C-alpha cells in the first residue's frame, strides 16, 4: 500500500498543487486532498482557530480537520520565501506550528522550511528533505522534482493563456476550465486562495461571468511584466504577493486599455491586503479613471450585499462605455 500524503485544499494549494501532487506521485505516494470548501469546513476552522487569524488561515484549519485521519503525512511546508529577496506572509511561516498547537491527533507533518530569500537554490535542499519523508533515494527525489517542475511550468503557462484554476474540474491531472468568453474585461486582484475558492469568495467569478465579464487575474500576467512595473515603485515591495498585485495593477492601468474595471478581493484581518490594497487603490485613482472597488471577505460576509455591489459596479461600467466615457467614476 502506498504512503498517503494529505494536502489541505487551501492557501498554497491553489498556486502549487500541480507541483506537489506530481512530486509526491513520482515518489510513489498517493496524494489525498480535502474536499472543496463548504460551510461545515469553514465553521470547523473558525471554531478551532484563534480569533485574530484571517479567514484563509481559519479555513486552512478546517481543511486539515477534514483529512487528518485519512493520511499518513500532512504536507504543511513552512513557506518563508519562494522568491529571492521576497517573503511570503508570516502566517505561512508559522502555519505548521499553529496547526500542531491547535489540532489534536495529527499524523506526522512534513513541515520543512522553504526559504529562497537569499538564494533560490535553497529550494532544492528543502525538496530533498521533503522527499526524504517518503523515500530514501536522493536521485529519485531529484528526478521527481524535475518532473514536478515541468508540470508546474505547464500549469503556469496555461494560466498565462487565460485559463484558470477551478476547484471541481479534473483536479488530478490539471486544474483548468475553459477560457472566458464575455464582453467586458474586469481585473480581479487578490490572493489565489481567495480568488479560486468559490465558497469563500461567494461565487464571485460565477457572478461576474453571468454578467458577461471576462476575468483577468494577476496570475495571467507574465512575471517579467509584473516585475518591470513593480520596480517603478519608490520603495521595493518585499512581499511576493504585494509585488505581483501592484505590478499587475500598474501594468493594467498603463498598458491595458481593454480592462474596464478593477476589483480588489481583500481578506478581513490581513495586514498585507490592508497595505497593498490601499496602494493599489491610490495608484488607480491617481493615474486613471478606471472604476475600482474592494470586496472584503470574512467568515460573516453576506452574499446579498455582494450581489448588489457587483451589479451596480458592472452597470456603471456598461453605462460609461455606452455613454459618457470621459466622466470619472468617482464623481
Ligand atoms: S497574506 Fe493575508 S490573507 Fe494571506 S495568510 Fe497572510 S494574513 Fe492571511
Amino acid at each position: 500500500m502506498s504512503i498517503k500524503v494529505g494536502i489541505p485544499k487551501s492557501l498554497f494549494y491553489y498556486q502549487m498543487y500541480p507541483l506537489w501532487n506530481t512530486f509526491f506521485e513520482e515518489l510513489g505516494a498517493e496524494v489525498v486532498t480535502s474536499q472543496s470548501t463548504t460551510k461545515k469546513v469553514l465553521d470547523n476552522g473558525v471554531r478551532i482557530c484563534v480569533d485574530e487569524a484571517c479567514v484563509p488561515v481559519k479555513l486552512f484549519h478546517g481543511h486539515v480537520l477534514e483529512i487528518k485521519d485519512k493520511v499518513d503525512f500532512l504536507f504543511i511546508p513552512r513557506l518563508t520565501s519562494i522568491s529571492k529577496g521576497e517573503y511570503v506572509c508570516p502566517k505561512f511561516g508559522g502555519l505548521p506550528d499553529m496547526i500542531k498547537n491547535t489540532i489534536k491527533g495529527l499524523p506526522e507533518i512534513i513541515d520543512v522550511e522553504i526559504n529562497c530569500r537569499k538564494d533560490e537554490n535553497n529550494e532544492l535542499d528543502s525538496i530533498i528533505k521533503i522527499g526524504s519523508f517518503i523515500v530514501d533515494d536522493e536521485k529519485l527525489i531529484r528526478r521527481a522534482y524535475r518532473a514536478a517542475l515541468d508540470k508546474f511550468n505547464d500549469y503556469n503557462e496555461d494560466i498565462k493563456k487565460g485559463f484558470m484554476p477551478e476547484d471541481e474540474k479534473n483536479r488530478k491531472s490539471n486544474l483548468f476550465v475553459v477560457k472566458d468568453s464575455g464582453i467586458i474585461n474586469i481585473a480581479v486582484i487578490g490572493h489565489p486562495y481567495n480568488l479560486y475558492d468559490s465558497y469563500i469568495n461567494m461565487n464571485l467569478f460565477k457572478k461576474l461571468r453571468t454578467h458577461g465579464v471576462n476575468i483577468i487575474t494577476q496570475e495571467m500576467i507574465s512575471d517579467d511584466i509584473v516585475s518591470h512595473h513593480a520596480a517603478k515603485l519608490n520603495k521595493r515591495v518585499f512581499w511576493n504577493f504585494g509585488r505581483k498585485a501592484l505590478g499587475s495593477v500598474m501594468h493594467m492601468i498603463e498598458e491595458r486599455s481593454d480592462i474596464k474595471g478593477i476589483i480588489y478581493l481583500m481578506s478581513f484581518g490581513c495586514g498585507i491586503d490592508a497595505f497593498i490594497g490601499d496602494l493599489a487603490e491610490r495608484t488607480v485613482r491617481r493615474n486613471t479613471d478606471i472604476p475600482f472597488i474592494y470586496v472584503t471577505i470574512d467568515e460573516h460576509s453576506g452574499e446579498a450585499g455582494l450581489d448588489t455591489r457587483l451589479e451596480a459596479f458592472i452597470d456603471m461600467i456598461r453605462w460609461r462605455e455606452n455613454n459618457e466615457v470621459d466622466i470619472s467614476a468617482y464623481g
Side-chain angles (χ1 to χ4, degrees), residues 35-156:
Q35 59 164 305
S36 296
T37 302
T38 59
K39 183 173 184 323
K40 182 171 158 247
V41 174
L42 177 61
D43 287 350
N44 285 342
V46 169
R47 182 174 45 78
I48 201 159
C49 185
V50 292
D51 290 342
E52 294 74 23
C54 58
V55 74
V57 166
K58 290 177 180 168
L59 190 54
F60 189 85
H61 284 65
H63 281 279
V64 168
L65 287 174
E66 269 295 304
I67 49 167
K68 74 177 181 64
D69 298 325
K70 302 175 188 160
V71 296
D72 304 300
F73 291 100
L74 262 179
F75 181 52
I76 311 181
R78 202 175 284 275
L79 289 171
T80 304
S81 165
I82 53 171
S83 44
K84 198 168 175 202
E86 292 176 344
Y87 286 104
V88 183
C89 162
K91 292 203 175 96
F92 274 77
L95 202 56
D97 297 321
M98 277 186 95
I99 294 296
K100 282 181 205 167
N101 286 297
T102 311
I103 300 178
K104 292 195 171 55
L106 291 167
E108 186 170 355
I109 294 185
I110 304 176
D111 69 346
V112 175
E113 183 184 27
I114 298 179
N115 188 349
C116 304
R117 192 183 70 83
K118 290 201 173 133
D119 183 354
E120 293 194 335
N121 293 324
N122 288 348
E123 187 178 50
L124 192 57
D125 294 339
S126 304
I127 297 298
I128 289 166
K129 284 186 198 151
I130 293 168
S132 307
F133 279 79
I134 312 298
V135 292
D136 184 16
D137 183 343
E138 195 175 315
K139 241 181 173 174
L140 177 58
I141 295 171
R142 286 174 184 267
R143 203 164 59 228
Y145 185 51
R146 279 196 296 274
L149 275 181
D150 285 346
K151 193 73 162 208
F152 190 48
N153 291 337
D154 290 348
Y155 170 87
N156 286 322

Side-chain angles (χ1 to χ4, degrees), residues 163-232:
F163 290 83
M164 200 171 282
E166 191 98 336
D167 272 353
E168 305 297 340
K169 307 279 174 181
N170 198 13
R171 88 181 173 192
K172 271 284 172 196
S173 52
N174 60 44
L175 285 157
F176 310 118
V177 289
V178 290
K179 281 183 177 183
D180 289 344
S181 55
I183 45 171
I184 303 175
N185 292 341
I186 291 184
V188 186
I189 303 295
H191 302 280
Y193 38 88
N194 289 336
L195 296 186
Y196 306 120
D197 183 328
S198 52
Y199 183 86
I200 204 65
N201 67 32
M202 295 170 287
N203 273 317
L204 176 65
F205 284 4
K206 194 168 169 205
K207 290 181 201 304
L208 289 171
R209 288 181 184 128
T210 307
H211 289 287
V213 168
N214 291 321
I215 297 153
I216 319 287
T217 67
Q218 70 259 26
E219 284 78 37
M220 293 177 189
I221 298 163
S222 107
D223 219 42
D224 289 345
I225 293 177
V226 165
S227 298
H228 165 74
H229 286 281
K232 295 184 212 159

Side-chain angles (χ1 to χ4, degrees), residues 256-270:
R256 293 286 300 263
S257 57
D258 60 318
I259 291 179
K260 303 301 179 194
I262 299 178
I263 297 173
Y264 192 105
L265 186 63
M266 177 181 258
S267 295
F268 182 76
C270 171

Side-chain angles (χ1 to χ4, degrees), residues 87 230 233 237-248 272 276:
Y87 286 104
L233 290 162
V237 181
F238 54 81
W239 290 304
N240 176 273
F241 166 75
R243 175 182 56 84
K244 285 186 176 168
L246 287 174
S248 305
I272 294 179
I276 298 297

